[in-house]
Amino acid sequence: MRKHRGMLYFPHRLQGPLLQYTEFEAPAALRRHVQCLWRLRDPEPAAQPQTIYPDGRCELIAHLGAPMRRYTLAQGWKTQARCLFAAQLRSAIRLAADGPVDCIGIRLQPAASAVCVGRRLSSLVDDVIDLDSIDQDFATHLFDAAIASNTDSECTDLWRLLQMRFGDLPLDARVESALVTVDAAQGGITVAALAAETNMSLRSLQTRFLTAVGLTVKEYARVQRLQATLRQLDTAAESIAQLAAASGFSDQAHATRELQQFTGLTPARLRRALRAERHGDETLRMAAAFVRGRG
């Protein structure tokens, strides 16, 4: 990690020099609303469909290159819009490139998930939406600012636009506190314990959390526990049984069921795939970039 013109810069190059994933920390005035800005570029993307795992964050995404296609059971493969709002996800999604990939994304803080869509956030779970359908004017400005950021390493226009749009929007401080606790525990906390920790009733916590984040407390905690397990599978030497115990699963079979639902792979296959990605397996290039970026 190093400083890059006043911002934190995290380069992640996977599978040779072509794919590059980079994160930029948000300015101080935006950090309650925006976790980071990221850039994903790959002039020669893998032919295989890619898998992306949920991380408990909603995102705004602008495709500067060819928009990727997303697979759903209802519609099959469908080309995405140039500007997207990616709502909360509870399971992996599949993407396929149709040409050079060049995306700029704004990863929102979990407590700021509803800043674009308001109280209907929870009804959009597991969806990725054309931003034009939410706010056409904002979508146009976002795309223009993303284009300008292509030649501005400090992303000045994007940060200015986001400050104007989100900077003064109030957030639920109690939910922010609850999120800090869940993240610190890597999802390993019960709803009752979280309510006591944040001095809220169960009902108040559950209602306010769902409104602000778009997931229930249990769903969000599950995503964080599984994300932590993914990072451990990618880097740790311990056995899968040991990792399952450390992550709070009741046993290895429990971890296997949860990870298979979350990623489509058993822990053993996922570990092999992540490690093979370092040596030529292209099917997890994007997933590995995001998993390692968050880690």
Side-chain angles (χ1 to χ4, degrees):
M1 183 179 75
R2 66 180 186 275
K3 288 284 186 180
H4 180 73
R5 295 196 181 187
M7 295 174 290
L8 291 175
Y9 178 68
F10 302 82
H12 297 270
R13 288 184 175 85
L14 304 172
Q15 181 57 31
L18 297 179
L19 186 145
Q20 183 179 359
Y21 173 73
T22 311
E23 290 182 2
F24 299 92
E25 186 178 55
L30 273 170
R31 285 178 197 160
R32 288 186 67 195
H33 294 82
V34 177
Q35 179 175 309
C36 70
L37 183 152
W38 54 263
R39 183 87 179 261
L40 179 71
R41 285 179 280 194
D42 192 347
E44 297 181 11
Q48 299 92 333
Q50 300 289 303
T51 303
I52 304 295
Y53 303 128
D55 64 1
R57 274 70 176 158
C58 296
E59 295 188 328
L60 298 164
I61 300 170
H63 286 288
L64 306 185
M68 287 182 280
R69 290 175 292 135
R70 181 190 173 202
Y71 181 82
T72 64
L73 288 174
Q75 297 179 310
W77 289 102
K78 183 178 178 182
T79 300
Q80 296 182 317
R82 68 175 188 174
C83 277
L84 307 170
F85 174 73
Q88 292 285 12
L89 300 172
R90 294 173 295 189
S91 59
I93 63 171
R94 296 178 70 203
L95 299 174
D98 277 335
V101 172
D102 190 352
C103 304
I104 288 181
I106 296 95
R107 184 171 299 141
L108 300 174
Q109 294 285 11
S113 300
V115 292
C116 288
V117 297
R119 297 186 68 86
R120 64 185 177 126
L121 175 66
S122 61
S123 69
L124 303 177
V125 68
D126 295 325
D127 208 352
V128 180
I129 305 149
D130 185 344
L131 192 57
D132 273 349
S133 67
I134 298 172
D135 188 331
Q136 187 173 24
D137 185 60
F138 177 57
T140 298
H141 284 97
L142 181 70
F143 188 76
D144 289 345
I147 289 289
S149 296
N150 192 42
T151 56
D152 177 7
S153 61
E154 295 195 13
C155 306
T156 306
D157 286 359
L158 262 176
W159 293 130
R160 183 183 297 117
L161 174 66
L162 296 172
Q163 179 65 44
M164 291 172 58
R165 176 66 186 244
F166 304 141
D168 295 328
L169 293 179
L171 299 178
D172 189 326
R174 288 282 189 89
V175 172
E176 287 183 287
S177 176
L179 286 159
V180 169
T181 301
V182 176
D183 287 352
Q186 296 186 335
I189 187 169
T190 66
V191 180
L194 185 63
E197 178 78 17
T198 55
N199 198 27
M200 282 192 279
S201 69
L202 280 173
R203 183 173 182 177
S204 178
L205 169 63
Q206 291 169 329
T207 300
R208 290 165 67 169
F209 197 99
L210 182 63
T211 298
V213 180
L215 295 173
T216 67
V217 177
K218 284 186 177 180
E219 288 170 337
Y220 181 83
R222 177 176 182 262
V223 167
Q224 296 315 305
R225 181 166 61 174
L226 289 166
Q227 272 284 335
T229 306
L230 281 176
R231 295 194 292 274
Q232 291 166 348
L233 283 171
D234 186 36
T235 60
E238 288 83 359
S239 70
I240 292 170
Q242 290 171 317
L243 292 181
S247 298
F249 294 104
S250 57
D251 52 32
Q252 184 173 338
H254 181 205
T256 296
R257 287 194 303 273
E258 289 281 288
L259 275 166
Q260 195 155 17
Q261 290 176 5
F262 191 67
T263 68
L265 298 172
T266 65
R269 289 185 61 195
L270 183 59
R271 171 174 267 177
R272 286 196 300 269
L274 285 166
R275 292 181 178 182
E277 179 278 328
R278 292 187 172 94
H279 305 288
D281 185 337
E282 296 186 336
T283 61
L284 288 186
R285 292 174 71 185
M286 289 185 187
F290 286 108
V291 167
R292 292 166 192 162
R294 290 197 72 236

